[in-house]
Amino acid sequence: MIAAEREMEPKMSNKATTVLEAHPMNGGDGTYSYTKNSYYQREAANVAQTLIGDVIAMKLDINEFASSSTNAFCIADLGCSVGPNTFVSVENILEAIKHKYRSECMSSQTREFQVFFNDHAGNDFNTLFAKFPPTRNYFAAGVPGSFHGRLFPKSSLHVVHSSYATHWLSKVPEELTDKNSPAWNKGKIHYTTAPEEVVNAYAAQFTKDMAAFLEARAQELVVGGMMILILPAVPTGIPHSRVPNGVMFDFMGSILIDMAKEGVISEAEVDSFNLPVYTTSPKEMGELVERNGRFHIEQMESTSPWLEIKHSNSDYGKTLSMSLRAGMEGVLRSHFGSEITNQLFNRLCDQSGQLTRQLQESCCREGTQLFVALKRI
Amino acid sequence: MIAAEREMEPKMSNKATTVLEAHPMNGGDGTYSYTKNSYYQREAANVAQTLIGDVIAMKLDINEFASSSTNAFCIADLGCSVGPNTFVSVENILEAIKHKYRSECMSSQTREFQVFFNDHAGNDFNTLFAKFPPTRNYFAAGVPGSFHGRLFPKSSLHVVHSSYATHWLSKVPEELTDKNSPAWNKGKIHYTTAPEEVVNAYAAQFTKDMAAFLEARAQELVVGGMMILILPAVPTGIPHSRVPNGVMFDFMGSILIDMAKEGVISEAEVDSFNLPVYTTSPKEMGELVERNGRFHIEQMESTSPWLEIKHSNSDYGKTLSMSLRAGMEGVLRSHFGSEITNQLFNRLCDQSGQLTRQLQESCCREGTQLFVALKRI
């Protein structure tokens, strides 16, 4: 192949030059697996199920896709992890679409559906594939790779869904670990109570990542196609220190600092670690979509899954720390190693009563989740 | 969903009612992995690479796909295992297609390519995904499931490739293990030197499986799309006992019978085991394609990869037994358990000199591979 042609070829994601950080959820189905410890993510998704059904019923125009009616109706779940939540979401979306066909007296009977399950290449796809619902009525495929780059051909998807995934950053902003930068995040692992420069560095990275995400999806979705995003959020104007994510990450940070004080790890190890996650606000998200310019906001709504969760359950704190472990263990282990990470989560489990109290006392439980439905224009 | 509608919906493969036997190649990248022990499969595939390039150049009509030029050009490799062979084959096919575009002065520069890698759900997709070529110029997806059923939406593929996979049967014919059947395969693990009833039972299963395979692909390929199959073959008229597969499977069978005589396993264990693989002939394959009626045979050619392999290499016998282990260990382990299977392959390795001699003395080395190129009509 001649060099000029190569340059003209479509750029695929995940080339050697664009390797992004990947921190998959815990694989397999053991004690600490995401499969067995994704209760909170499921609760959060449940709150969104009705919204998804409604927005598809009211805003998705299936007539726009009629011209390509011989082709399959294609759906992608981005950041699907290992199940089972992804299967519940996909089933819900499919039912809403089929209901739509019925309500418009169109036949969905001859229409075939293809669902793409995406996550990082390091995700445990073997476990995901082993758990595919045996009675599913769709063709299924796994797509490994970062959703911050292109994953699918142009105009090949009709609906994109992503729940609790787009708050993961593609990388930790470099200045956070640069001692000479005003954004050096000493003694912290997140931005909750950090100086403004740290918050700004996180926000700038999220802006870049969301821009790349929206640009890639704008190319992959057909015109009229819909994208539904569910992600943790901070109500506009509320400080990060008062939302559940802020409280939980701060709590984990304080355990690591205790471990540094006890000499179990060094201060430098804590200083050089930062969680690559960011909690956006409705205002910020709206601005990023506007700036991209290729989507119309059909619905943007704050929801409150934390009001639904049974906080009175005596196992609540423990369930919560197991859930945090399933989601966060990978990123911590790659920095601190297995032994320290085990110790961190054992301490978190022991102190889960205290975490529960902090969440109950200081926490703003309303509007901590954002439901966004966009239409490709 | 109402029952009538469910019945009308397209049937996907791998439902609970159609669970098929799955015997993936050895996963991971350890000593006995398929990744490290697929030299013979690669040699065999190499023989076919030139043929693939030529048949695409001469017989694939890309103008037929021009009407859907906004869509991606979709390729599937069925029975891909864990690599690296699948990546070599896919790259070869892609180069041939791009060369075709160039030679017809059409632009392939704006055309996007999507490649689907298929194998059983039990295949080690995590290893496959970790080995995806970082510089690839195509979108990639993994599709778990049996190729004896539907895997893809209607008319969604342009080229299908399958190398050394379609000789695996979907199951062992039941009569082979029925003591009251004339096809009871006592004291053997394959049909090489077995009674005619056993050979017929194997052939009948292959007929059923190939019919299901061709019917599914006929639905999935666009009109004008091409399917390339590479599979072990027996030259029409030559007995199975004289082709390499026949000699090797017989040799494995004789080791198991030795183990039964020594009391390591029972005779009944050997009697109840049969290898679910079948070696077809050009005549038989041609008839099956004709019977399906939805493909035109563009090329069917016997090739001779065994003539290319360096039999003089002193490691030859050992390499061969490692290769057999990587491909066959799974199916043997699920019947005999790990310990017996280990012992079988250790004995095979110890006796590999004898196997080599048998292959050199009695074996027909010409025409042991079939290259089939079909066009969807």
Side-chain angles (χ1 to χ4, degrees):
Chain A
M1 183 187 296
I2 53 172
E5 187 192 5
R6 186 178 288 276
E7 277 167 26
M8 290 295 288
E9 292 212 327
K11 294 284 179 285
M12 310 292 141
S13 66
N14 309 309
K15 288 195 173 184
T17 49
T18 57
V19 171
L20 304 169
E21 288 183 28
H23 308 291
M25 306 297 97
N26 282 350
D29 57 2
T31 311
Y32 302 122
S33 66
Y34 182 80
T35 290
K36 291 213 172 133
N37 295 288
S38 44
Y39 165 73
Y40 286 92
Q41 289 86 342
R42 189 160 59 252
E43 280 295 314
N46 286 345
V47 168
Q49 298 306 320
T50 315
L51 292 174
I52 291 175
D54 290 349
V55 81
I56 287 176
M58 289 191 294
K59 305 285 190 173
L60 185 69
D61 184 1
I62 51 176
N63 293 301
E64 289 213 39
F65 314 142
S67 65
S68 61
S69 61
T70 54
N71 294 345
F73 193 108
C74 293
I75 299 165
D77 186 31
L78 308 183
C80 64
S81 187
V82 292
N85 295 354
T86 184
F87 304 124
V88 177
S89 300
V90 162
E91 203 53 57
N92 181 51
I93 291 168
L94 274 170
E95 279 309 306
I97 294 166
K98 287 178 184 174
H99 185 266
K100 178 103 188 156
Y101 272 94
R102 283 196 296 275
S103 68
E104 301 197 6
C105 296
M106 290 168 73
S107 169
S108 74
Q109 297 175 2
T110 53
R111 188 100 207 193
E112 294 183 331
F113 294 90
Q114 189 171 29
V115 180
F116 295 93
F117 295 88
N118 155 262
D119 211 313
H120 285 292
N123 182 52
D124 187 354
F125 279 94
N126 288 347
T127 294
L128 178 78
F129 289 172
K131 288 179 188 294
F132 270 177
T135 57
R136 71 184 189 277
N137 280 305
Y138 53 85
F139 297 106
V143 174
S146 163
F147 54 50
H148 291 113
R150 287 284 303 281
L151 293 165
F152 303 95
K154 270 178 236 151
S155 307
S156 65
L157 300 174
H158 298 90
V159 168
V160 167
H161 171 266
S162 183
S163 179
Y164 277 71
T166 49
H167 63 302
W168 283 89
L169 300 175
S170 68
K171 62 172 191 170
V172 170
E174 282 156 25
E175 53 269 47
L176 298 186
T177 52
D178 176 1
K179 284 186 187 177
N180 301 316
S181 164
W184 184 35
N185 199 18
K186 182 170 171 50
K188 296 191 179 300
I189 64 165
H190 204 230
Y191 60 84
T192 312
T193 50
E196 200 182 341
E197 289 85 353
V198 173
V199 182
N200 291 345
Y202 265 97
Q205 187 62 47
F206 182 74
T207 296
K208 257 191 243 172
D209 286 346
M210 188 47 77
F213 177 86
L214 291 171
E215 180 52 32
R217 302 299 86 74
Q219 292 188 54
E220 295 163 357
L221 271 161
V222 298
V223 169
M226 187 168 269
M227 175 148 72
I228 295 162
L229 304 177
I230 297 149
L231 62 173
V234 55
T236 308
I238 296 283
H240 281 96
S241 56
R242 288 205 48 224
V243 292
N245 270 4
V247 173
M248 291 189 294
F249 298 155
D250 248 19
F251 197 84
M252 279 168 60
S254 70
I255 293 176
L256 284 166
I257 289 161
D258 286 347
M259 288 166 74
K261 279 182 191 153
E262 293 169 26
V264 180
I265 47 175
S266 71
E267 269 186 39
E269 278 177 280
V270 181
D271 293 347
S272 57
F273 177 76
N274 293 281
L275 283 170
V277 291
Y278 180 79
T279 310
T280 188
S281 70
K283 183 168 174 287
E284 183 180 40
M285 194 64 194
E287 286 166 1
L288 291 171
V289 174
E290 294 292 331
R291 195 183 298 178
N292 170 273
R294 297 174 74 183
F295 291 95
H296 178 253
I297 300 175
E298 297 292 339
Q299 192 173 345
M300 182 168 319
E301 187 171 332
S302 294
T303 56
S304 308
W306 279 82
L307 291 178
E308 308 294 323
I309 292 165
K310 289 163 195 66
H311 303 266
S312 54
N313 188 321
S314 61
D315 286 336
Y316 166 63
K318 210 180 159 199
T319 309
L320 188 63
S321 45
M322 290 292 268
S323 187
L324 263 173
R325 179 171 196 158
M328 293 290 172
E329 184 163 9
V331 62
L332 286 150
R333 199 171 44 221
S334 66
H335 183 83
F336 292 103
S338 293
E339 206 181 308
I340 297 299
T341 305
N342 271 338
Q343 206 180 121
L344 163 67
F345 283 109
N346 289 341
R347 287 183 184 217
L348 182 68
C349 197
D350 293 343
Q351 297 174 35
S352 61
Q354 197 182 329
L355 172 61
T356 309
R357 276 191 298 283
Q358 285 195 17
L359 282 166
Q360 282 167 340
E361 281 163 17
S362 67
C363 218
C364 162
R365 291 203 203 120
E366 287 183 47
T368 59
Q369 178 170 292
L370 195 57
F371 175 87
V372 187
L374 308 175
K375 188 182 275 190
R376 172 75 167 81
I377 46 178
Chain B
M1 183 187 298
I2 55 172
E5 185 192 6
R6 186 178 288 275
E7 275 167 28
M8 291 294 290
E9 292 213 325
K11 293 285 179 286
M12 310 292 139
S13 67
N14 309 309
K15 288 196 175 185
T17 49
T18 58
V19 171
L20 304 169
E21 289 183 26
H23 307 291
M25 307 296 98
N26 282 349
D29 57 2
T31 310
Y32 301 122
S33 66
Y34 183 81
T35 291
K36 290 211 173 136
N37 295 288
S38 44
Y39 166 72
Y40 287 92
Q41 289 86 342
R42 189 160 61 252
E43 281 295 314
N46 285 345
V47 169
Q49 298 306 320
T50 315
L51 292 174
I52 292 176
D54 290 349
V55 81
I56 286 175
M58 289 190 294
K59 304 286 189 174
L60 185 69
D61 184 1
I62 51 175
N63 292 302
E64 289 212 39
F65 315 141
S67 64
S68 60
S69 63
T70 54
N71 294 345
F73 192 108
C74 293
I75 299 165
D77 186 31
L78 308 183
C80 64
S81 187
V82 292
N85 295 354
T86 184
F87 304 124
V88 177
S89 299
V90 161
E91 202 54 56
N92 182 49
I93 291 168
L94 275 170
E95 279 309 305
I97 293 166
K98 287 178 185 173
H99 184 265
K100 177 104 187 155
Y101 272 94
R102 281 197 297 274
S103 68
E104 300 197 4
C105 296
M106 290 168 73
S107 170
S108 73
Q109 297 176 2
T110 53
R111 188 99 206 192
E112 294 183 332
F113 295 90
Q114 188 170 30
V115 180
F116 295 93
F117 295 88
N118 156 262
D119 212 312
H120 285 293
N123 183 52
D124 187 354
F125 279 94
N126 288 348
T127 294
L128 178 78
F129 290 172
K131 289 179 188 294
F132 271 176
T135 57
R136 71 184 189 276
N137 281 305
Y138 53 85
F139 297 106
V143 174
S146 162
F147 54 51
H148 292 113
R150 286 284 303 281
L151 293 165
F152 303 95
K154 270 179 235 150
S155 307
S156 65
L157 300 174
H158 298 91
V159 169
V160 166
H161 170 266
S162 181
S163 179
Y164 278 70
T166 50
H167 62 302
W168 284 90
L169 300 175
S170 68
K171 62 171 191 170
V172 170
E174 281 157 25
E175 53 269 49
L176 297 186
T177 52
D178 176 1
K179 284 185 186 177
N180 301 316
S181 165
W184 184 36
N185 199 18
K186 182 169 170 51
K188 296 192 179 299
I189 65 165
H190 205 230
Y191 60 84
T192 313
T193 52
E196 200 183 340
E197 288 85 353
V198 172
V199 182
N200 291 345
Y202 265 96
Q205 187 63 48
F206 183 74
T207 297
K208 256 190 245 173
D209 287 346
M210 188 48 77
F213 177 86
L214 291 172
E215 179 52 32
R217 301 301 86 73
Q219 292 187 55
E220 295 162 358
L221 271 160
V222 297
V223 169
M226 187 168 267
M227 175 147 74
I228 295 162
L229 304 178
I230 297 149
L231 63 172
V234 55
T236 308
I238 296 282
H240 280 100
S241 56
R242 288 203 51 221
V243 292
N245 270 4
V247 172
M248 291 190 294
F249 298 156
D250 248 18
F251 197 84
M252 279 168 61
S254 69
I255 293 176
L256 283 166
I257 289 161
D258 287 347
M259 288 166 74
K261 280 182 190 154
E262 293 168 27
V264 180
I265 47 175
S266 71
E267 271 187 39
E269 277 177 281
V270 182
D271 293 346
S272 57
F273 177 76
N274 293 282
L275 283 170
V277 292
Y278 180 80
T279 310
T280 189
S281 70
K283 183 169 173 286
E284 183 180 40
M285 194 65 194
E287 286 166 2
L288 292 170
V289 174
E290 294 293 330
R291 195 182 299 177
N292 170 273
R294 296 173 76 183
F295 291 96
H296 178 254
I297 300 176
E298 297 291 340
Q299 192 174 345
M300 182 167 322
E301 188 172 331
S302 293
T303 56
S304 308
W306 279 83
L307 291 177
E308 309 294 323
I309 293 165
K310 289 163 196 66
H311 303 267
S312 55
N313 188 321
S314 61
D315 287 336
Y316 166 61
K318 209 179 159 201
T319 308
L320 188 63
S321 45
M322 290 292 269
S323 187
L324 263 174
R325 179 170 197 158
M328 294 290 172
E329 184 163 10
V331 63
L332 285 151
R333 199 171 43 222
S334 66
H335 182 83
F336 292 103
S338 294
E339 206 180 309
I340 297 299
T341 306
N342 270 338
Q343 206 181 119
L344 163 67
F345 283 108
N346 289 341
R347 287 181 183 219
L348 182 69
C349 197
D350 293 344
Q351 298 174 32
S352 60
Q354 198 183 329
L355 172 60
T356 309
R357 276 190 299 282
Q358 284 194 17
L359 283 166
Q360 281 167 341
E361 282 163 17
S362 68
C363 217
C364 162
R365 291 203 204 118
E366 285 182 51
T368 59
Q369 178 170 293
L370 195 57
F371 175 87
V372 187
L374 308 175
K375 187 182 274 190
R376 172 75 168 81
I377 47 179

